Amino acid sequence: MADAAVRKDAGMAEVERLRAELETQRRLAEGKERQLERYASDLRETFKAERARTDELHASYVATVRALTNAVEVRDAYTGKHAERVAAYGLELTRHIDPELARDPQVEFGFLLHDVGKVAISDGILFKPEPLLTEERILMRRHAVIGYEIVCDIPFLSEAALIVRHHHEHWDGAGYPDGLAGEEIPFAARIFSVVDALDAMTTDRPYSPKASLAEARVEIAGKSGTQFDPSVVAELNRMPDRELEQIKATIT
Ligand SMILES: [Fe+2]
């Protein structure tokens, strides 16, 4: 009898010990769960703050690029919003050709800044109403390299700088400043040179009358394979007039 009572007490004690252990485990699990929730919440906050910092940084990049672009455009009443409009044409065409490339902010920055080197070109040459003399043309052509030198050391513009440098290269190698040909020319610069010509042709200039979009398309097609990359011209031909006209009507 006494042994049975002792075994019963021992059994009860074991049950109590197991209960206590379970309770301890439950509390530990609760504690860990709360800790994990805190980690998750901290991570969410960190991510949000990081996102805000990235957005802020991007906004300051855009503001810097706009300031540089305006430094050129404010001098030239004829071109007006040329850089902004040509960048919009260029991005739209790039989206048709390679959407991934169009998402690279440096492509837009390069398009906007293409003529930043003109800040170093004298008014006498920049605004000369007559065609330029040979030596004046040589000076004018320096804007591509000057622009490159202005932006190439800025880390967030290192790729954009290549568009600035090579936006006057020709597919057949007859362009400047480096006489690159074909695929040696950065692809974004090849896209840009087509829309740069399109905008120049369809905008009022001191000594060349404005062409219609249809006329500009014919002229550009005529230079496919010589001045322009044929694949880029082919893609421009596939772009509906209304897409280009909408950009022209919005950015004047
Ligand atoms: Fe230029």
Side-chain angles (χ1 to χ4, degrees):
M1 285 288 285
D3 282 353
V6 167
R7 276 200 303 278
K8 190 180 170 191
D9 285 349
M12 293 290 287
E14 181 60 11
V15 168
E16 280 307 310
R17 192 188 64 76
L18 285 171
R19 267 197 197 128
E21 195 174 314
L22 273 174
E23 182 58 21
T24 309
Q25 294 293 341
R26 192 183 61 76
R27 284 202 189 116
L28 275 173
E30 268 180 11
K32 279 186 180 152
E33 200 177 317
R34 275 197 297 275
Q35 199 175 27
L36 277 174
E37 275 167 10
R38 276 198 300 277
Y39 286 157
S41 158
D42 286 353
L43 265 177
R44 275 194 298 274
E45 286 307 310
T46 307
F47 180 75
K48 245 198 287 184
E50 199 57 43
R51 187 66 188 268
R53 266 198 297 275
T54 305
D55 289 350
E56 214 172 275
L57 199 57
H58 182 74
S60 64
Y61 286 170
V62 172
T64 306
V65 170
R66 296 247 171 237
L68 279 167
T69 309
N70 289 342
V72 179
E73 302 228 311
V74 80
R75 289 176 67 202
D76 194 344
Y78 276 111
T79 56
K81 289 192 171 175
H82 162 73
E84 203 181 317
R85 195 170 47 245
V86 84
Y89 286 143
L91 277 183
E92 198 56 42
L93 183 54
T94 309
R95 273 185 215 109
H96 280 265
I97 297 170
D98 181 351
E100 184 68 23
L101 184 64
R103 277 193 287 274
D104 179 352
Q106 295 227 24
V107 169
E108 182 178 8
F109 294 161
F111 290 174
L112 283 166
L113 290 168
H114 66 284
D115 273 344
V116 69
K118 283 188 178 170
V119 292
I121 306 298
S122 70
D123 285 2
I125 294 177
L126 197 59
F127 303 128
K128 187 173 174 184
E130 303 87 29
L132 298 178
L133 302 172
T134 305
E135 59 271 28
E136 291 170 333
R137 197 160 38 246
I138 291 168
L139 285 172
M140 180 67 146
R141 286 180 168 198
R142 289 187 60 224
H143 80 274
V145 171
I146 294 169
Y148 170 79
E149 284 167 355
I150 289 172
V151 296
C152 72
D153 289 332
I154 303 172
F156 76 90
L157 293 176
S158 55
E159 291 296 314
L162 295 175
I163 301 173
V164 175
R165 183 177 185 108
H166 297 297
H167 74 279
H168 287 292
E169 303 283 4
H170 289 186
W171 180 252
D172 62 6
Y176 64 91
D178 299 319
L180 300 185
E183 292 180 3
E184 291 174 336
I185 308 165
F187 192 37
R190 279 182 263 150
I191 296 173
F192 182 80
S193 72
V194 171
V195 292
D196 195 23
L198 177 80
D199 191 60
M201 290 171 193
T202 54
T203 309
D204 278 322
R205 291 297 163 105
Y207 53 90
S208 57
K210 180 164 72 171
S212 68
L213 182 52
E215 289 165 336
R217 280 186 186 278
V218 169
E219 196 171 331
I220 287 169
K223 292 174 179 172
S224 174
T226 50
Q227 185 169 345
F228 304 122
D229 177 344
S231 73
V232 176
V233 176
E235 200 57 53
L236 178 72
N237 288 339
R238 282 192 278 276
M239 265 178 88
D241 282 358
R242 65 179 155 71
E243 280 184 34
L244 298 164
E245 279 161 356
Q246 195 180 349
I247 290 169
K248 190 165 172 55
T250 317
I251 309 170
T252 52

